[in-house]
Amino acid sequence: MKKLVFTIFAATIVACTPKVNDLVTSAPIKASVDLVNVTNDKVHVSLDPGRFTTETINFYIPKTVPGTYSNNNYGQFLENVTAYDYDNNKMEISSVDTNTWKITNATDLDRIEYDVNDSFDTETEVDEAVFSPAGTNIEANKNFFLNLHMFVGYFSDLQERPYELTFTHPSGFEASTSLQKVASKNEKADTDTFIANRYFEVTDNPIMYSRPDSETFSVNDIEVTLSIYSPNKVYSAASIKMEMEKMMKAQKTFLGDINSTKKYHILLFLGAMGEGDPTGFGALEHHTSTTVVLPETMPKEALVETMTDVVSHEFFHIVTPLTVHSEEIQYFDYNDPKMSEHLWMYEGVTEYFANLFQINQGLIDEQAFYDRIAGKVQNSKKYNDALSFTKMSKNVLVEPYKDDYGNVYEKGALIGMCVDIIIREQSNGEKGILWLMKELSKEYGEDKPFKDDELFDKIIALTYPEVGDFFTTYVIGDTPINYEDFLGKVGLSFTSEMTPTGFFLDGQTPYVDVNPKNNEIFVRNTTLNSSMIALGLQADDVIKSVNGKEFTIEAIRDVIIGSMSWQPDTEVTLVIDRDGEEKTLKGKVGTPTVESKKLSKMETTNSTQDKLREAWLKG
């Protein structure tokens, strides 16, 4: 009874102030984002948290967000952070670190206001750029690509409070988002109001504002909306709707009864490849949407193929980690994150599914699938192959483990493949890793996480001891996987051959990289192509110029694109720095080739191998 009396008494005291219901725990935190009055690619945000009963509180912008696996310090994009009291006077607010601000006399706080910068504009200016699909584009009267963790922060202990998000936008613009839109009594024209039940939903629901270019289609009982911003109108949502619909229907057929959403949004930003445009291409998953950033210059065939790969990967995240995940993800700490050891599943199995479903549903043929697996085997060797995958995962935010994060898409997918083959073998082809993920989905769920150190035991209990042996040796342990042993079970083997490549790029994998400390461009410590070797290039060489043109971070795109038109008899002159000594390398380009692994069916297989392979690919 005392608690009830106190609540009524407190509400009575506050009733004479402008904030009548702010002490009610369900009162939303109100955020207002102005997309009309944009200055220097910055938008103004106002945040009203309600009335505080404690004298000191902290205001936070996330240091990292789920799905990125990197510390990006999103607070670096805020400027002019100012606190105001109820009389509209400025209050003292102090910066604790890049992502945290402290407010004393918080009982007087009415609101916080600040400006937010465009992250696309800064990708070449910071030590560790924000991955574009997790960032933001601010172009007045053109496009606003908004990941809301960069715009809306949270306050001490109030992450579970609902949020009311109001956007004032240019006339004719529409929002593409999975956020729930609500009608507001005071809403004006060109203003939208959305509701999020807690801070996680704010960060989990990106939004794109632009002149409308969307297409909607149904995938069984899921309504999918594809929204595109193509600055030069090279593409429209209608131009790739058919391919996206075909792909997502194939995914849903592959998944079967796994379903965690009724609506799904794809937000595609196509960069014009000019100054201020994004350079970090890819996608970022959310529960009911995905953000995708790709170059507008891609030919349609390449765009559709890339969209198929990246969107399918993100959509498969509805299985893990969006449904099956650990406590570290369920109770994610945006500013002091504790990482899970199961990236092999969150990213690896997801990437494996994004490839397996394409052969399973007939979108690609067997050899194309084998080529993808062989490519992942080869790419995985570019990382530390003798590193515990669980240890890397647990420490992925710090050196030296963060450098191996990319291997989750290579070796992580191969781990999923090996587990799949083991389960198929032990069950006589009846079960596989998709079956396992469905069983885990029944056991856990969006609101029921597992304990990080108990997952392997759970999987072993559901499957076979051989799966446990594999985890102990190759995932928890640091023994490199002999893929021939596992692929041999399904009648496949490797051969080596020389395949064509580019001078600076092997497909989408560069032979060079940029040193973030000084922006120098150096040769990566990887297998070099035949033309680089013939010219005398070595790993870690710093390339100063190419054919007299300075090889700087500003010129790298033009130089690499120009190299794609080189002919075998093209003369090339490279000025390099090797261990502090400048050298000049000259010669003809020739035809760049690189040794690659080819995976194909054995000339002679037995019925057991053939049946297991059929169950693996089509089961």
Side-chain angles (χ1 to χ4, degrees):
M1 290 300 293
K2 280 186 177 179
K3 181 176 182 182
L4 179 60
V5 171
F6 176 78
T7 302
I8 295 172
F9 178 65
T12 302
I13 292 174
V14 178
C16 60
T17 76
K19 302 273 184 175
V20 177
N21 295 316
D22 288 345
L23 286 179
V24 180
T25 57
S26 61
I29 295 171
K30 297 181 179 181
S32 299
V33 182
D34 184 355
L35 303 180
V36 175
N37 300 296
V38 177
T39 305
N40 296 325
D41 288 351
K42 300 172 191 173
V43 302
H44 192 71
V45 177
S46 177
L47 205 59
D48 176 358
R51 182 175 289 278
F52 288 103
T53 57
T54 55
E55 286 299 320
T56 302
I57 57 99
N58 284 341
F59 168 66
Y60 302 92
I61 290 288
K63 180 179 182 179
T64 187
V65 292
T68 58
Y69 306 106
S70 62
N71 288 325
N72 288 118
N73 295 308
Y74 297 104
Q76 67 181 300
F77 296 95
L78 267 62
E79 293 183 3
N80 306 318
V81 181
T82 309
Y84 293 90
D85 66 17
Y86 292 112
D87 293 322
N88 207 37
N89 297 315
K90 291 183 179 180
M91 297 176 58
E92 182 178 348
I93 183 170
S94 57
S95 176
V96 178
D97 57 37
T98 303
N99 310 292
T100 310
W101 291 262
K102 179 182 286 187
I103 302 161
T104 53
N105 300 321
T107 53
D108 295 330
L109 177 68
D110 177 43
R111 70 191 186 280
I112 291 178
E113 296 188 10
Y114 47 87
D115 298 315
V116 181
N117 269 298
D118 179 340
S119 73
F120 283 8
D121 279 345
T122 64
E123 289 184 354
T124 60
E125 300 172 7
V126 295
D127 287 349
E128 188 167 343
V130 172
F131 180 47
S132 298
T136 184
N137 182 63
I138 299 171
E139 289 184 277
N141 296 309
K142 291 183 179 180
N143 172 269
F144 300 91
F145 184 84
L146 312 176
N147 277 287
L148 297 183
H149 54 258
M150 296 184 64
F151 291 83
V152 180
Y154 62 96
F155 294 87
S156 306
D157 303 320
L158 296 186
Q159 293 96 316
E160 297 303 309
R161 284 274 292 275
Y163 276 72
E164 183 180 287
L165 310 169
T166 300
F167 295 84
T168 305
H169 59 81
S171 180
F173 276 40
E174 291 185 5
S176 297
T177 183
S178 293
L179 281 168
Q180 179 185 355
K181 188 175 180 179
V182 296
S184 174
K185 290 186 295 184
N186 301 319
E187 191 167 286
K188 302 176 182 177
D190 300 330
T191 299
D192 299 326
T193 300
F194 302 92
I195 291 294
N197 291 319
R198 59 190 179 109
Y199 185 68
F200 171 77
E201 289 188 10
V202 175
T203 66
D204 192 46
N205 287 280
I207 185 168
M208 183 166 71
Y209 270 99
S210 59
R211 301 197 180 278
D213 184 0
S214 299
E215 292 286 337
T216 299
F217 53 88
S218 294
V219 177
N220 292 8
D221 53 351
I222 302 175
E223 182 183 278
V224 179
T225 300
L226 169 66
S227 299
I228 290 182
Y229 175 68
S230 180
N232 297 304
K233 310 299 181 185
V234 176
Y235 294 101
S236 66
S239 69
I240 62 171
K241 173 189 174 183
M242 182 178 68
E243 291 86 354
M244 293 299 97
E245 185 174 1
K246 178 182 178 181
M247 178 266 290
M248 296 194 75
K249 284 184 175 179
Q251 282 187 275
K252 192 64 179 69
T253 301
F254 175 79
L255 283 175
D257 56 2
I258 293 181
N259 191 14
S260 61
T261 181
K262 293 295 183 182
K263 293 191 176 187
Y264 198 82
H265 279 71
I266 303 168
L267 310 182
L268 172 59
F269 180 97
L270 295 172
M273 303 300 288
E275 185 178 352
D277 283 313
T279 56
F281 302 124
L284 180 65
E285 81 276 4
H286 303 274
H287 276 77
T288 56
S289 62
T290 184
T291 51
V292 189
V293 177
L294 294 172
E296 190 183 39
T297 54
M298 295 181 77
K300 183 178 179 181
E301 183 179 355
L303 177 69
V304 168
E305 181 180 350
T306 303
M307 284 287 287
T308 299
D309 289 341
V310 300
V311 174
S312 64
H313 176 101
E314 305 311 330
F315 184 72
F316 277 127
H317 273 304
I318 68 173
V319 181
T320 183
L322 302 181
T323 300
V324 181
H325 56 259
S326 70
E327 293 175 334
E328 285 79 358
I329 292 176
Q330 180 75 18
Y331 311 113
F332 191 82
D333 188 328
Y334 295 94
N335 285 74
D336 186 20
K338 308 297 186 294
M339 306 309 289
S340 167
E341 64 181 24
H342 295 295
L343 271 173
W344 68 271
M345 183 177 71
Y346 306 140
E347 294 296 340
V349 171
T350 300
E351 176 66 7
Y352 175 59
F353 282 163
N355 287 274
L356 181 65
F357 98 97
Q358 295 188 53
I359 175 62
N360 182 276
Q361 296 296 309
L363 301 185
I364 59 175
D365 61 25
E366 286 190 23
Q367 190 55 56
F369 178 69
Y370 299 155
D371 289 345
R372 292 177 178 219
I373 295 300
K376 290 190 177 298
V377 170
Q378 190 151 324
N379 290 338
S380 72
K381 304 299 182 183
K382 298 174 183 177
Y383 299 92
N384 182 356
D385 202 27
L387 175 65
S388 163
F389 222 77
T390 52
K391 188 174 183 179
M392 180 274 289
S393 179
K394 195 74 175 174
N395 298 281
V396 70
L397 297 180
V398 299
E399 300 287 1
Y401 305 99
K402 63 186 296 185
D403 292 338
D404 279 86
Y405 168 70
N407 210 12
V408 300
Y409 304 105
E410 312 296 347
K411 188 173 182 177
L414 296 170
I415 289 171
M417 177 194 74
C418 292
V419 172
D420 195 12
I421 291 174
I422 294 170
I423 296 174
R424 289 287 180 191
E425 181 183 41
Q426 296 301 315
S427 67
N428 294 318
E430 293 182 5
K431 301 174 182 177
I433 197 167
L434 179 58
W435 167 86
L436 170 63
M437 296 310 300
K438 289 182 178 181
E439 292 300 305
L440 291 174
S441 296
K442 295 174 186 176
E443 179 73 19
Y444 305 107
E446 184 177 340
D447 297 315
K448 183 183 177 183
F450 58 79
K451 292 187 180 299
D452 216 49
D453 59 359
E454 294 179 359
L455 179 64
F456 286 132
D457 288 339
K458 183 66 179 178
I459 291 175
I460 295 166
L462 287 169
T463 58
Y464 307 95
E466 288 80 1
V467 174
D469 294 340
F470 177 85
F471 284 140
T472 299
T473 304
Y474 301 112
V475 183
I476 302 169
D478 55 13
T479 303
I481 301 171
N482 185 343
Y483 298 104
E484 295 206 10
D485 289 348
F486 296 94
L487 290 165
K489 297 175 185 293
V490 292
L492 302 178
S493 63
F494 287 103
T495 57
S496 294
E497 64 179 24
M498 300 303 293
T499 58
T501 184
F503 189 87
F504 288 111
L505 289 173
D506 182 18
Q508 296 183 0
T509 305
Y511 290 105
V512 295
D513 207 344
V514 178
N515 184 336
K517 295 180 180 178
N518 54 25
N519 285 342
E520 289 182 335
I521 301 168
F522 64 95
V523 179
R524 296 178 64 202
N525 187 13
T526 185
T527 302
L528 304 186
N529 63 60
S530 59
S531 296
M532 299 181 100
I533 294 171
L535 279 169
L537 277 171
Q538 297 179 11
D540 298 323
D541 283 349
V542 175
I543 304 178
K544 309 296 287 186
S545 68
V546 178
N547 290 338
K549 185 179 180 68
E550 277 192 280
F551 201 33
T552 61
I553 193 167
E554 292 80 14
I556 188 171
R557 185 183 303 159
D558 290 340
V559 172
I560 290 178
I561 290 174
S563 72
M564 295 177 181
S565 63
W566 289 350
Q567 300 300 311
D569 60 351
T570 300
E571 294 282 348
V572 176
T573 300
L574 305 177
V575 177
I576 66 166
D577 184 302
R578 182 178 297 161
D579 298 327
E581 181 182 353
E582 187 173 288
K583 294 178 176 289
T584 300
L585 308 178
K586 294 183 178 182
K588 292 183 178 181
V589 174
T591 302
T593 58
V594 66
E595 184 179 10
S596 63
K597 293 283 189 180
K598 184 77 172 178
L599 180 64
S600 56
K601 193 159 61 174
M602 297 175 181
E603 291 184 8
T604 303
T605 58
N606 58 47
S607 60
T608 300
Q609 292 170 317
D610 292 338
K611 288 178 181 178
L612 189 58
R613 183 176 62 256
E614 180 68 15
W616 172 47
L617 299 180
K618 298 294 184 178

